[in-house]
């Protein structure tokens, strides 16, 4: 049997030292590697080797079957191997933050730090009423024959700060519109199975839990409680931003992460 395909990634920058960890950006359920163009440019300029993947099923990356978090974490590890990365700082937005947590349980020795943005340590049991309702609501437009572009047009305004109409809106729309409907369905179904609360106290690397003021998907209070369970974790809230904080406030998003990396000494080779 042939090996599973390696996910596709975009890359920028060269580390100042070969032993310096590499930044790896993991997008959310409606994203793609193109959504991290600002981050690739910023951190490459700051002296980092920086990658952003297309999660399996997104962009140019082959789909997985079935889609679940252990398989996604395994795909991430295969990408690290293929790209020659020994140790990475994983920076995950939303579902990407969940993949980062799952990866910690798979290969902690490969992880130098974590940034978990607008995410959570669990979604709850997939057979719960809330989870069933969430899946039904998110998939209803597709079931009614809507396109992913139409799904994005309706959903994105509910995921940003009130009255936000900046350039990040168009980028978020482009990313979500490009997600294959089958991938979106599979990712939604996988999302509600995520459960890694027990792993939080085992995280021993520098971790930033970054929330957004107007995020109703991963509210700041949820992320604050998450940070309290991770030894030494830093908790911050990005004001005037919603769940799509990296699209809405890319400069501030980058600056907060940059400050965290420098304060934790992750910008220097160990």
């Amino acid at each position: 049997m042939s090996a599973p395909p390696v996910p596709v990634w975009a890359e920028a920058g060269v580390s100042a030292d070969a032993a310096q960890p590499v930044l790896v950006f993991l997008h959310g359920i409606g994203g793609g590697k193109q959504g991290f163009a600002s981050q690739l440019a910023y951190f490459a300029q700051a002296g980092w080797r920086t990658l952003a993947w297309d999660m399996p099923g997104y962009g140019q990356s082959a789909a997985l079957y079935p889609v679940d978090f252990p398989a996604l974490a395994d795909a991430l590890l295969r990408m690290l191997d293929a790209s020659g990365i020994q140790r990475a700082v994983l920076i995950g937005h939303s579902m990407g933050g969940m993949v980062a947590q799952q990866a910690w349980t798979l290969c902690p020795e490969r992880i130098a730090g974590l940034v978990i943005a607008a995410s959570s340590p669990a979604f709850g049991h997939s057979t719960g009423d809330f989870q069933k309702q969430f899946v039904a609501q998110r998939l209803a437009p597709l079931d009614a024959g809507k396109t992913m572009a139409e799904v994005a047009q309706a959903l994105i305004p509910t995921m940003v700060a009130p009255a936000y109409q900046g350039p990040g809106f168009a980028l978020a729309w482009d990313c979500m519109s490009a997600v294959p409907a089958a991938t979106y369905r599979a990712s939604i179904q996988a999302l509600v199975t995520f459960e890694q609360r027990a792993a939080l106290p085992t995280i021993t690397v520098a971790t930033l839990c970054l929330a957004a003021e107007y995020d109703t998907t991963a509210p700041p209070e949820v992320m604050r409680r998450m940070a309290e369970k991770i030894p030494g974790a830093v908790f911050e809230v990005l004001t005037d931003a919603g769940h799509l904080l990296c699209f809405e406030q890319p400069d501030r998003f980058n600056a907060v992460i940059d400050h965290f990396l420098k304060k934790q000494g992750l910008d220097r080779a160990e």
Side-chain angles (χ1 to χ4, degrees):
M1 182 179 295
S2 60
V6 175
V8 174
W9 68 88
E11 180 173 348
V14 178
S15 298
D17 190 304
Q20 182 181 355
V22 179
L23 304 186
V24 177
F25 286 86
L26 310 172
H27 62 79
I29 204 164
K33 66 180 184 295
Q34 70 271 32
F36 286 123
S38 168
Q39 286 68 45
L40 290 177
Y42 179 95
F43 287 102
Q45 181 66 31
W48 290 90
R49 183 185 176 201
T50 308
L51 274 68
W53 82 339
D54 274 332
M55 193 161 64
Y58 288 74
Q60 298 170 299
S61 293
L64 289 174
Y65 182 82
V67 177
D68 57 36
F69 283 94
L72 292 172
D74 181 69
L76 175 59
L77 179 59
R78 286 186 279 107
M79 188 192 76
L80 296 183
D81 289 342
S83 58
I85 296 174
Q86 295 302 311
R87 299 189 76 216
V89 176
L90 301 181
I91 304 171
H93 171 239
S94 192
M95 188 174 180
M98 296 176 176
V99 174
Q101 293 171 70
Q102 188 77 37
W104 171 260
T105 70
L106 175 67
C107 54
E109 72 282 357
R110 303 288 293 275
I111 299 174
L114 291 167
V115 177
I116 302 170
S119 190
S120 68
F123 202 99
H125 198 281
S126 59
T127 59
D129 289 340
F130 171 76
Q131 288 73 26
K132 290 179 180 178
Q133 184 179 30
F134 175 86
V135 170
Q137 288 177 342
R138 287 299 175 93
L139 298 185
L142 292 179
D143 293 339
K146 300 289 187 182
T147 66
M148 282 301 299
E150 291 170 318
V151 170
Q153 193 66 35
L155 188 58
I156 289 173
T158 72
M159 303 180 76
V160 296
Y164 175 77
Q165 286 292 333
F169 192 102
L171 178 58
W173 184 87
D174 286 342
C175 287
M176 183 172 277
S177 297
V179 178
T183 294
Y184 185 74
R185 285 181 180 276
S187 296
I188 290 287
Q189 296 284 359
L191 185 68
V192 299
T193 70
F194 184 68
E195 171 59 81
Q196 284 297 339
R197 284 174 287 194
L200 299 182
T202 75
I203 296 175
T204 56
V205 294
T207 301
L208 169 64
C209 293
L210 182 57
E213 180 181 7
Y214 293 107
D215 189 354
T216 59
T217 303
E221 180 60 19
V222 170
M223 295 208 68
R224 182 189 66 79
R225 293 198 300 269
M226 178 183 184
E228 288 176 348
K229 293 179 173 62
I230 301 173
V234 176
F235 170 67
E236 293 201 34
V237 179
L238 203 63
T239 58
D240 299 319
H243 186 66
L244 302 182
L245 70 174
C246 47
F247 293 92
E248 301 169 68
Q249 302 280 353
D251 292 342
R252 291 172 59 208
F253 180 80
N254 295 345
V256 168
I257 294 173
D258 194 21
H259 177 75
F260 167 77
L261 295 171
K262 289 175 179 175
K263 189 171 183 180
Q264 299 295 330
L266 289 167
D267 60 326
R268 300 184 295 274
E270 296 181 355

